[in-house]
Amino acid sequence: MIKNGKNSSVSASAANMPDVRDAILGWLRPLIAKRMQKEILNHKVQEIALTINIRACVQPLSPTQVLLKPEGQRTWVWKMLHVPNDNPLLQPDDRVIIDGVFFRVMGIYPYESDGYRQYDCTQDYQGQP
Amino acid sequence: MKTDDIQGSALGLVLNIIERQMVLKPEQVLLYNQKWNLPPDAGIHITGQFLGANPISNRSIVEDRGEEGFVEVQDSNFQEMYQIKIMSRDDSALFNKHKVLMALASVYAQQIQEANSFMIAPISSNFVDVSEIEGTAILFAYAITITVHAWYQIERVVDYYNEFPGELWVDPRNTGENAIPFEPQAPLEGA
């Protein structure tokens, strides 16, 4: 039976979100990510990078999404990643190389039940790939 | 006091004293402002933060060291305030917070102060509860503000007239010129 959108209540709309994994498969491109393992040496955090491969759809933030960021963070370079959930899970502070530039994972939106995860990333100006 | 990294800095030495006297692991004591999240496990974690300083003296003295040449010796003294934050997800910070101050007044702390010519005030100026909710836990956290008298010294060779060009200002009535420029020259043999 075809589900008609008009029969869904507004409050139940989130529960009705479809599995979008198949829809974004064609938009994906391979990216190299760096899982950052942390160790403390002489009271300072040392990061050890472990390379992993993922496939992701890269999207810049819309002006509205940028406006919702805290004032000091609006000038940062933000990217949004859509990653099917069969890819390795990234953690906050992990690095992703996008077009030859490091980005750091700042936020994770785990829409696992809908087939993908979304990551908010900002440009990491410390170091070059 | 060496200042170009944490190893010889007053804050680094304070953290070393706390780590040793409270028998903590290296990963439990660290500098603030780093990409680090409090681990979900139980146990004490300590961070050291620089809050501010009152400069007490700031001097520059030029010493003639013979063959070494002229050496500028700069030294400055600071009364520095550090905030030591002790925190834990379990109650270990609550029942061990006093050990931070006791560590800073220990025999080992006095030896480190003697060896590095700095002084930690044994009584903190502030000792407050900064416990807060973090996620589904309530973090036990205490901020201890301590005062440290630290000194820093830098030595560098001072440029002399054989290192840079200049000009000699003279009476134009005698020379017809206001200034006579001169170029850097190697010192005279035997001078």
Side-chain angles (χ1 to χ4, degrees):
Chain A
M1 194 177 100
I2 296 172
K3 281 186 181 176
N4 197 322
K6 74 178 176 56
N7 295 327
S8 300
S9 65
V10 174
S11 60
S13 59
N16 289 350
M17 184 173 168
D19 188 326
V20 297
R21 181 183 177 279
D22 292 343
I24 63 171
L25 282 179
W27 302 341
L28 302 180
R29 59 168 156 152
L31 290 177
I32 294 173
K34 304 273 183 182
R35 178 157 291 153
M36 307 306 281
Q37 293 179 331
K38 311 218 174 193
E39 288 185 4
I40 296 170
L41 184 66
N42 293 328
H43 313 302
K44 291 199 287 189
V45 173
Q46 313 288 324
E47 290 185 319
I48 300 158
L50 179 70
T51 301
I52 51 177
N53 296 305
I54 60 169
R55 291 179 64 79
C57 171
V58 182
Q59 182 186 349
L61 266 62
S62 70
T64 309
Q65 288 170 314
V66 172
L67 198 64
L68 289 171
K69 296 283 181 195
E71 190 174 308
Q73 298 180 15
R74 291 176 200 160
T75 54
W76 300 4
V77 179
W78 289 94
K79 299 272 189 192
M80 200 158 45
L81 295 187
H82 306 283
V83 183
N85 58 6
D86 53 0
N87 281 263
L89 175 66
L90 299 178
Q91 298 289 349
D93 270 355
D94 283 351
R95 275 174 162 168
V96 181
I97 302 171
I98 303 171
D99 298 332
V101 178
F102 272 141
F103 282 76
R104 286 259 186 186
V105 174
M106 304 295 279
I108 301 172
Y109 301 85
Y111 298 120
E112 258 99 1
S113 58
D114 306 310
Y116 80 111
R117 300 185 197 99
Q118 180 190 315
Y119 299 100
D120 269 4
C121 303
T122 190
Q123 187 179 339
D124 181 5
Y125 56 85
Q126 293 176 301
Q128 295 295 321
Chain B
M1 184 171 284
K2 193 161 72 91
T3 56
D4 53 355
D5 63 18
I6 192 169
Q7 290 286 9
S9 70
L11 182 54
L13 293 169
V14 166
L15 292 178
N16 286 348
I17 292 167
I18 293 169
E19 180 184 321
R20 180 186 154 122
Q21 292 301 106
M22 293 183 68
V23 198
L24 299 172
K25 294 173 188 167
E27 60 266 26
Q28 289 177 279
V29 184
L30 73 161
L31 198 63
Y32 76 131
N33 265 1
Q34 296 195 78
K35 293 174 184 144
W36 176 81
N37 294 319
L38 188 68
D41 55 346
I44 292 169
H45 288 86
I46 286 177
T47 58
Q49 176 178 358
F50 173 83
L51 289 183
N54 286 328
I56 295 169
S57 75
N58 193 11
R59 300 188 303 172
S60 173
I61 299 166
V62 177
E63 293 180 357
D64 183 358
R65 294 196 183 165
E67 289 186 1
E68 198 181 337
F70 287 94
V71 175
E72 179 187 30
V73 182
Q74 282 188 281
D75 63 61
S76 59
N77 286 266
F78 285 80
Q79 183 195 46
E80 300 185 341
M81 271 194 304
Y82 299 151
Q83 188 176 78
I84 308 299
K85 196 169 174 186
I86 175 170
M87 53 201 145
S88 67
R89 292 191 191 276
D90 60 355
D91 57 10
S92 49
L94 172 65
F95 298 116
N96 289 282
K97 58 188 184 303
H98 58 279
K99 291 181 182 171
V100 173
L101 272 192
M102 294 170 81
L104 297 176
S106 63
V107 169
Y108 177 70
Q110 291 172 43
Q111 290 169 343
I112 294 293
Q113 290 171 67
E114 286 285 335
N116 294 279
S117 301
F118 78 116
M119 197 196 84
I120 306 168
I123 306 291
S124 66
S125 58
N126 220 340
F127 200 127
V128 291
D129 182 13
V130 290
S131 298
E132 60 183 349
I133 294 175
E134 184 172 287
T136 54
I138 300 177
L139 207 61
F140 282 99
Y142 302 90
I144 305 161
T145 306
I146 62 167
T147 306
V148 171
H149 280 276
W151 71 277
Y152 304 100
Q153 191 177 63
I154 299 170
E155 288 189 6
R156 62 169 71 86
V157 176
V158 180
D159 287 344
Y160 198 58
Y161 292 114
N162 59 346
E163 297 287 338
F164 56 88
E167 57 184 23
L168 184 65
W169 285 30
V170 293
D171 188 344
R173 288 173 298 183
N174 296 331
T175 61
E177 293 176 346
N178 284 322
I180 302 171
F182 58 84
E183 293 298 320
Q185 291 182 344
L188 293 173
E189 195 72 27

